[in-house]
Amino acid sequence: MPASALMNVMTKAARKAGRTLSRDFGEVEHLQVATKGPADFVSKADLRAEKIIFEELSHARPNYCFLLEEGGIVEGSDKTHRWIIDPLDGTTNFLHGIPHFAISIALERDGELVAGLVYNPVMEELFTAEKGAGAYLNDRRIRVGGRNKLEDAVVVTGIPHRGKSGKEVFIQEMRQVTRSVVGIRRTGSAAVDLSWVAAGRFDGYWERGIQAWDMAAGIVLVREAGGRVTDAQGGDDMLTTGSVVAGNTAISTELQKTIIS
Ligand code: IPD
Ligand code: CA
Ligand code: CA
């Protein structure tokens, strides 16, 4: 299926930012980094990538609003559209020379997520999805995995790092989930985790305490790949609660029940 005008705009921005991110990743040891908070660094690469994405999208769609991880809220005159952007998801990996990170761009229309893109420039993997049009990895249509029992599933999660709350809840959830699954993974990029659920590489994903820009694009991807995404309570408030559970319908349902049990 040919990409829409909207997806072309998003892809152009992501590929342009991806080129500088890749270059900066190659020189990662030379990057000057500033401390943003415990274990949460913001690099020059991060800001550079965000600036490129912001400029590209502003040029193509001049009136849209933005929610940027680094730049915060930028109001536009068109209040019905909002870009939600993480220019570098997987910052800790990036700074440690681990080639697992991505750019995440989502578009919200009238408060509903309608398009998502997650791009890993090192692996050259571009995940895209638009509401009603399916999910793709590069040019290939993707679907969530077909395993229907948690006992057969490999799931991925995020672990609260130093300085972040929620460790006790996380340990309790791990206790429950380890008893139920084949394996648990932690990759360090929520955007990629959701994309890999969309591609059927992971059967399920859960995490708490993440932000709208970590998950917005990935949510569209999982849904368009035939999966289901809820918050930790099984509701629809992922962006406001910061909690996410994803997988095919059977796995996401079972996983959600397991973490709150
Ligand atoms: C982080 C990643 C990670 C998640 C953290 C996020 P960042 O985003 O998505 O997987 O566990 O909660 O903050 O800081 O690399 O953009
Ligand atoms: Ca992030
Ligand atoms: Ca980030």
Side-chain angles (χ1 to χ4, degrees):
M1 192 167 121
S4 68
L6 170 67
M7 199 46 77
N8 281 334
V9 162
M10 293 167 68
T11 303
K12 188 172 169 231
R15 286 203 187 277
K16 192 167 176 188
R19 281 195 290 276
T20 60
L21 269 190
S22 295
R23 257 199 310 273
D24 287 336
F25 182 66
E27 294 178 26
V28 78
E29 63 272 27
H30 305 306
L31 284 177
Q32 291 169 19
V33 295
T35 307
K36 193 167 75 173
D40 193 2
F41 301 99
V42 57
S43 65
K44 271 185 1 193
D46 204 338
L47 294 168
R48 222 181 342 244
E50 186 170 281
K51 185 165 178 281
I52 290 169
I53 298 164
F54 177 73
E55 285 172 357
E56 285 287 321
L57 296 180
S58 305
H59 180 71
R61 298 287 187 275
N63 303 319
Y64 287 14
C65 303
F66 283 84
L67 174 62
L68 301 150
E69 181 182 10
E70 305 303 333
I73 295 168
V74 178
E75 292 294 350
S77 58
D78 180 350
K79 306 293 179 200
T80 63
H81 288 94
R82 180 169 77 141
W83 298 112
I84 304 176
I85 294 160
D86 189 339
L88 171 54
D89 189 59
T91 319
T92 306
N93 286 343
F94 189 92
L95 289 171
H96 284 255
I98 299 166
H100 190 86
F101 55 86
I103 290 164
S104 176
I105 303 174
L107 180 66
E108 212 178 46
R109 182 176 297 135
D110 296 320
E112 188 191 9
L113 292 168
V114 292
L117 172 156
V118 173
Y119 178 48
N120 176 339
V122 176
M123 288 182 79
E124 271 296 340
E125 288 197 330
L126 177 71
F127 296 89
T128 55
E130 268 185 272
K131 188 166 183 263
Y136 291 81
L137 164 50
N138 297 329
D139 293 327
R140 186 168 57 82
R141 182 88 192 249
I142 50 173
R143 304 268 319 158
V144 289
R147 293 182 187 88
N148 282 322
K149 290 192 188 136
L150 206 50
E151 65 186 38
D152 298 324
V154 170
V155 302
V156 63
T157 188
I159 305 171
H161 53 65
R162 182 162 51 83
K164 202 166 163 182
S165 62
K167 291 185 187 57
E168 291 312 316
V169 173
F170 174 75
I171 288 164
Q172 173 60 21
E173 289 173 350
M174 274 296 267
R175 195 172 289 131
Q176 296 303 110
V177 178
T178 14
R179 290 190 184 120
S180 316
V181 298
V182 169
I184 303 180
R185 303 288 182 266
R186 194 314 183 230
T187 77
S189 167
V192 179
D193 291 345
L194 282 160
S195 307
W196 285 24
V197 170
R201 293 174 179 169
F202 294 132
D203 301 296
Y205 162 68
W206 95 97
E207 186 162 0
R208 291 182 192 259
I210 62 170
Q211 303 291 328
W213 47 77
D214 300 316
M215 63 169 103
I219 291 171
V220 186
L221 279 155
V222 173
R223 286 178 176 158
E224 287 302 315
R228 179 167 170 266
V229 187
T230 70
D231 60 36
Q233 298 306 316
D236 225 8
D237 294 325
M238 295 80 72
L239 264 47
T240 43
T241 61
S243 66
V244 196
V245 184
N248 66 26
T249 303
I251 296 287
S252 67
T253 305
E254 216 187 324
L255 184 57
Q256 187 270 325
K257 285 189 183 136
T258 304
I259 64 165
I260 61 164
S261 62

